Amino acid sequence: MKDLFTVHQVSRCCGLSRATILRLERKGLLRPAFIDAQSGYRYYDNHNVSRIMQIQLFLKMGMPYDDIQLYYRMGGASQELLEQAEARLSIMKRVCEEIRLRVENREHLSFEFVTLPQYVCFTGEFQGTTVENRYWAMYNLYHQAVERGYRLLATEPLFVINRRDDFIRGAFTEDVVNFTCCIPLEPDTAPEDAVVYPACRAFSCLYRGNYDRCAEVFNAFGAKIRELGLRPAGYVRSLALVAPYTGQDISADNYLTRLAVPVEE
């Protein structure tokens, strides 16, 4: 047994408890190099230790146990896992971008093309003129979603579809407008009357700051759309990356909002 390790040695070098190592065995993710038939003692080799360390890496990356099992079952070559990893990477890049804007602590307005994913949403139709109108509309709709037991989608922000195009002409006004509040839900558990918004290509404007600059930002966004000669294929969406009802500990000056207009290819 001089070339093998006890569970105590593996536990110490991997920084895991004995119970955690045995849990990996029960989940079929780890097989000891040798099990003594009489004593039941488990012994592990270098390959076992390396696998445990790789599993720890996957868990820190946010991979669930089922995906890790699929990784090993497919010999590391799974299209499904690749797509899931790319989706997680996209989310992490978005989070890093948001945090960087606050750390740099500067005015920010940037434009880019993005691909909006498919959204399955609990929605509500409203009218209003002010940011406060939209705030309370979304707040109350969010409360309904929780009350009804809908499974909320953590990876995507709440958003509002503003049924307006005045900003494209550089003439944003505070007139009463119709808008739709959208709360993304887990697709597999969404109710039958949930609204599906297909994935689409969009032109977007990301800005950091409170909502006092709303008219200025919308008109700047419209000017860029005109400059590039883009043809909108739908109404503008306001994706609340951080808003009062989702981040009370973040000051209004550090709110991040992405405006996105679906555009023709």
Side-chain angles (χ1 to χ4, degrees):
M1 301 298 178
K2 65 179 181 179
D3 294 330
L4 299 179
F5 311 110
T6 66
V7 67
H8 175 73
Q9 289 174 304
V10 173
S11 172
R12 182 176 57 193
C13 76
C14 293
L16 298 176
S17 67
R18 178 179 182 277
T20 298
I21 294 172
L22 296 181
R23 186 182 307 120
L24 294 180
E25 290 187 32
R26 290 196 299 272
K27 290 181 177 296
L29 290 171
L30 181 66
R31 180 181 299 172
F34 177 76
I35 300 179
D36 189 296
Q38 294 184 339
S39 65
Y41 288 166
R42 288 162 158 73
Y43 297 91
Y44 307 85
D45 60 14
N46 285 0
H47 299 290
N48 293 140
V49 173
S50 177
R51 183 165 176 137
I52 292 172
M53 298 305 293
Q54 187 177 42
I55 291 171
Q56 286 195 85
L57 172 62
F58 288 151
L59 291 173
K60 289 179 180 179
M61 290 167 54
M63 286 179 67
Y65 283 114
D66 288 345
D67 285 357
I68 298 174
Q69 289 173 332
L70 177 60
Y71 174 87
Y72 288 116
R73 190 164 63 247
M74 299 297 292
S78 167
Q79 181 65 31
E80 178 183 347
L81 284 182
L82 174 61
E83 293 173 357
Q84 292 177 3
E86 288 176 337
R88 281 192 288 268
L89 179 61
S90 176
I91 293 170
M92 286 304 301
K93 285 183 176 179
R94 188 174 69 196
V95 172
C96 289
E97 180 183 22
E98 296 166 12
I99 295 174
R100 182 178 296 109
L101 291 179
R102 299 191 192 97
V103 170
E104 292 176 351
N105 193 30
R106 60 183 174 82
E107 292 295 319
H108 181 83
L109 197 66
S110 65
F111 306 98
E112 63 179 329
F113 287 96
V114 298
T115 298
L116 296 176
Q118 174 177 288
Y119 292 106
V120 178
C121 297
F122 175 48
T123 67
E125 302 293 331
F126 304 93
Q127 280 189 333
T129 60
T130 66
V131 170
E132 187 175 9
N133 294 147
R134 290 191 291 276
Y135 169 90
W136 285 112
M138 182 65 84
Y139 189 97
N140 292 329
L141 189 70
Y142 196 84
H143 184 88
Q144 290 181 45
V146 176
E147 195 171 49
R148 296 184 185 188
Y150 294 157
R151 184 73 60 83
L152 308 180
L153 185 62
T155 57
E156 297 299 328
L158 312 178
F159 63 95
V160 173
I161 298 177
N162 297 281
R163 300 185 182 280
R164 66 188 314 154
D165 58 10
D166 51 0
F167 68 97
I168 296 179
R169 303 186 300 274
F172 182 93
T173 67
E174 293 295 343
D175 293 339
V176 174
V177 296
N178 297 321
F179 60 92
T180 304
C181 290
C182 304
I183 300 175
L185 304 176
E186 291 282 358
D188 294 341
T189 60
E192 292 184 358
D193 60 350
V195 178
V196 178
Y197 296 98
C200 65
R201 179 173 180 263
F203 185 62
S204 82
C205 169
L206 177 66
Y207 74 94
R208 167 184 170 270
N210 61 46
Y211 297 139
D212 293 342
R213 298 176 56 207
C214 191
E216 174 190 345
V217 171
F218 264 91
N219 285 331
F221 188 35
K224 196 67 176 179
I225 291 174
R226 295 196 306 274
E227 176 188 330
L228 297 176
L230 301 176
R231 297 174 62 86
Y235 288 112
V236 60
R237 304 181 189 181
S238 298
L239 285 75
L241 305 182
V242 172
Y245 36 82
T246 58
Q248 290 184 328
D249 294 329
I250 295 178
S251 71
D253 289 338
N254 270 332
Y255 290 166
L256 294 173
T257 303
R258 184 183 295 279
L259 302 181
V261 173
V263 294
E264 296 181 1
E265 298 289 346

